[in-house]
């Protein structure tokens, strides 16, 4: 009788929804919109005038996977630092401008990859759109119109009473129309709010009424845990409908953490290639091993692995064998020992004390073989 492998076949990944059609702009080396991959950006927390510290933080963000970085420009000293920062940064630099329209021109002249303007708090901004559009066009500099609930134009606050989705969208489209009057359409738009429900509805309305690329953000999302949850909910709702071209997770935490969360959100939706993924159970009264410790130690031991590898760390016989079999590598634990699965097949049974090291050793073997074979980086989909 011929043995038949019961390994679960790979299911081709497919997007949750078609990407919303939009025009494409070029932010330095990064294409935005028009079907380009969704990119992750963050913002430096240093004083931009401190060139060394700012470039150091940009280097850290770049290493963490950040693709576009924004720097604040509230003073003349900050504006004076932009040419060096824009030239030496490894990723495109966007200058963030509030209050003083003269810094918009300074950022464009400095060679920044794009300029973000907040029309709600720049005095007489509308009166200078013609000049801004001309300068941006001459230098090939895109402009992001960034509307925020906390700095909405007072005229719209009087009209709507508060920062409603309709108010945010009206503000953004009004400012876009001023640029359009002067033939400038290299625009990206954001309509941020701290409430994910309001933010989601604003972006849905905006997506229906224009074809500009959209930058997603839940503004002032909060501390790391709260902000991560709010951003994941909001981005997931929109990206799953094809809405969104760049994202920034706004956390009261170091900017590298923002990037890590943003990348993981995109990977979870199949919008960015997956690398190491740990599938582990939450544990319960059925567990006969310390699942928390095993998962943490396996994660630490495989930190930095670049190949798309799914590792299942399971603690009981209910879901354990199935999840372990469906992963690239896994363990189904019970009664102080674990069955090690590689590509759906049991390769050995080891005591609990050897589970972590065995998984790490097997992961290294798989990674080495994947690199030899030329791992595609395509996300593997678990069927359960």
């Amino acid at each position: 009788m011929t043995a038949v492998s019961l390994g679960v076949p790979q299911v081709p990944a497919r997007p949750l929804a078609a990407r919303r059609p939009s025009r494409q702009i070029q932010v330095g080396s990064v294409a935005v919109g028009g079907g380009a991959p969704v990119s992750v950006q963050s913002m430096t927390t240093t004083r931009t005038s401190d060139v060394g510290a700012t470039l150091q933080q940009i280097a850290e963000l770049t290493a963490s996977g950040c693709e576009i970085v924004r720097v604040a420009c509230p003073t003349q000293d900050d504006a004076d630092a932009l040419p060096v920062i824009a030239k030496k940064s490894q990723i495109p630099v966007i200058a963030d401008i509030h209050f003083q329209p003269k810094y918009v021109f300074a950022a464009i002249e400095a060679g920044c990859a794009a300029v973000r303007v907040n029309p709600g708090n720049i005095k007489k901004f509308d009166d200078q759109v013609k000049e801004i559009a001309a300068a941006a066009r001459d230098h090939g500099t895109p402009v992001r119109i960034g509307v925020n609930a906390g700095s909405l134009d007072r005229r719209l606050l009087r009209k709507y009473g508060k920062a409603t989705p309709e108010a945010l969208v009206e503000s953004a489209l009004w400012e876009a129309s001023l640029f359009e009057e002067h033939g400038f359409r290299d625009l990206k738009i954001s309509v941020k709010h701290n409430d994910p429900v309001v933010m989601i509805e604003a972006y849905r309305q905006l997506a229906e009424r224009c074809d500009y690329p959209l930058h997603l953000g839940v503004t002032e999302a909060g501390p790391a845990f709260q902000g991560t949850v709010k951003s994941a909910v909001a981005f997931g709702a929109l990206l799953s409908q094809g809405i969104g071209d760049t994202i920034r997770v706004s956390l009261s935490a170091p900017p590298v953490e923002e990037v890590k969360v943003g990348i993981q959100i995109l990977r979870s939706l199949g919008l960015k290639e997956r690398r190491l993924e740990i599938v582990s159970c939450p544990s319960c009264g059925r567990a006969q091993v310390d699942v928390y410790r095993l998962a943490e130690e396996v994660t630490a031991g495989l930190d930095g692995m670049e190949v798309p590898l799914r590792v299942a760390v399971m603690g009981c016989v209910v879901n354990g064998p199935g999840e372990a079999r469906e992963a690239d590598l896994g363990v189904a634990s019970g009664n102080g020992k674990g069955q090690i699965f590689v590509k759906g097949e049991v390769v050995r049974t080891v005591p609990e004390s050897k589970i972590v090291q065995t998984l790490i050793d097997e992961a290294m073997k798989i990674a080495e073989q994947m690199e030899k074979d030329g791992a595609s980086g395509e996300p593997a989909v678990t069927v359960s």
Side-chain angles (χ1 to χ4, degrees), residues 185-268:
R185 289 181 170 80
D186 282 347
L187 302 172
K188 180 170 63 171
I189 299 178
S190 62
V191 282
K192 295 186 178 182
H193 199 287
N194 60 63
D195 184 332
V197 175
V198 177
M199 175 267 200
I200 290 168
E201 180 58 26
Y203 277 101
R204 283 175 175 167
Q205 292 184 21
L206 185 60
E208 291 177 353
R209 296 180 59 183
C210 75
D211 68 348
Y212 291 113
L214 304 181
H215 171 72
L216 304 186
V218 178
T219 190
E220 292 95 36
F225 177 75
Q226 174 183 294
T228 294
V229 173
K230 290 169 71 172
S231 298
V233 168
F235 294 176
L238 292 166
L239 291 168
S240 67
Q241 297 177 2
I243 299 172
D245 300 287
T246 62
I247 64 170
R248 189 244 172 138
V249 178
S250 298
L251 301 178
S252 298
V256 165
E257 296 304 312
E258 297 183 348
V259 174
K260 290 179 180 178
V261 174
I263 289 174
Q264 193 57 46
I265 289 172
L266 294 184
R267 285 177 177 164
S268 296

Side-chain angles (χ1 to χ4, degrees), residues 34-372:
V38 179
S39 53
V40 177
Q41 71 176 62
S42 185
M43 187 171 182
T44 55
T45 57
T46 57
R47 291 187 180 276
T48 305
S49 57
D50 187 340
V51 174
T54 301
L55 286 173
Q56 175 61 35
Q57 193 168 77
I58 290 175
E60 293 168 359
L61 286 166
T62 303
S64 71
C66 187
E67 293 158 293
I68 299 172
V69 65
R70 187 154 45 108
V71 299
C73 187
T75 71
Q76 187 61 52
D77 286 343
D78 298 318
D80 292 341
L82 290 176
V84 175
I85 293 171
K87 182 178 180 180
K88 292 189 175 182
S89 172
Q90 306 96 317
I91 55 178
V93 173
I94 297 178
D96 191 66
I97 311 297
H98 299 263
F99 305 113
Q100 294 288 344
K102 66 179 181 179
Y103 298 140
V104 176
F105 298 101
I108 293 172
E109 292 287 342
C112 290
V115 177
R116 183 268 178 140
V117 296
N118 187 339
N121 61 22
I122 296 181
K123 295 180 180 179
K124 297 183 179 180
F125 176 79
D126 293 357
D127 298 335
Q128 300 191 50
V129 168
K130 180 179 180 180
E131 290 76 15
I132 291 172
R137 184 186 301 108
D138 290 345
H139 289 78
T141 309
V143 173
R144 170 154 77 90
I145 297 173
V147 176
N148 265 27
S151 53
L152 191 64
D153 189 295
R154 292 179 181 177
R155 294 167 296 180
L156 291 169
L157 284 176
R158 287 194 294 269
K159 178 178 178 179
Y160 289 96
K162 59 181 180 179
T164 63
E166 292 75 16
L168 295 170
V169 172
E170 182 174 328
S171 175
L173 294 179
W174 165 255
E175 300 301 340
S177 73
L178 298 180
F179 280 94
E180 290 167 356
E181 286 180 5
H182 303 290
F184 187 84
R185 289 181 170 80
D186 282 347
L187 302 172
K188 180 170 63 171
I189 299 178
S190 62
V191 282
K192 295 186 178 182
H193 199 287
N194 60 63
D195 184 332
V197 175
V198 177
M199 175 267 200
I200 290 168
E201 180 58 26
Y203 277 101
R204 283 175 175 167
Q205 292 184 21
L206 185 60
E208 291 177 353
R209 296 180 59 183
C210 75
D211 68 348
Y212 291 113
L214 304 181
H215 171 72
L216 304 186
V218 178
T219 190
E220 292 95 36
F225 177 75
Q226 174 183 294
T228 294
V229 173
K230 290 169 71 172
S231 298
V233 168
F235 294 176
L238 292 166
L239 291 168
S240 67
Q241 297 177 2
I243 299 172
D245 300 287
T246 62
I247 64 170
R248 189 244 172 138
V249 178
S250 298
L251 301 178
S252 298
V256 165
E257 296 304 312
E258 297 183 348
V259 174
K260 290 179 180 178
V261 174
I263 289 174
Q264 193 57 46
I265 289 172
L266 294 184
R267 285 177 177 164
S268 296
L269 292 168
L271 294 172
K272 198 172 188 68
E273 72 173 33
R274 289 177 179 167
R275 293 183 181 172
L276 175 67
E277 180 182 2
I278 303 294
V279 176
S280 60
C281 65
S283 192
C284 67
R286 297 190 301 266
Q288 296 176 316
V289 296
D290 187 345
V291 177
Y292 300 154
R293 179 185 63 80
L294 292 178
E296 288 178 0
E297 291 183 3
V298 171
T299 300
L302 298 179
D303 184 45
M305 181 167 283
E306 297 292 317
V307 299
L309 185 69
R310 175 170 284 153
V311 181
V313 181
M314 305 300 295
C316 82
V317 296
V318 175
N319 295 317
E323 292 287 359
R325 185 178 289 114
E326 291 171 7
D328 298 301
L329 169 66
V331 60
S333 307
N335 199 26
K337 58 186 177 181
Q339 280 189 317
I340 306 298
F341 289 76
V342 175
K343 300 295 183 180
E345 302 289 346
V346 177
V347 295
R348 71 189 67 174
T349 300
V350 298
E352 181 177 353
S353 62
K354 294 186 177 180
I355 287 175
V356 172
Q357 191 57 53
T358 303
L359 286 175
I360 291 173
D361 291 343
E362 292 294 339
M364 295 303 179
K365 291 178 186 177
I366 295 172
E368 183 179 354
Q369 188 61 49
M370 292 174 77
E371 288 172 350
K372 286 180 180 178

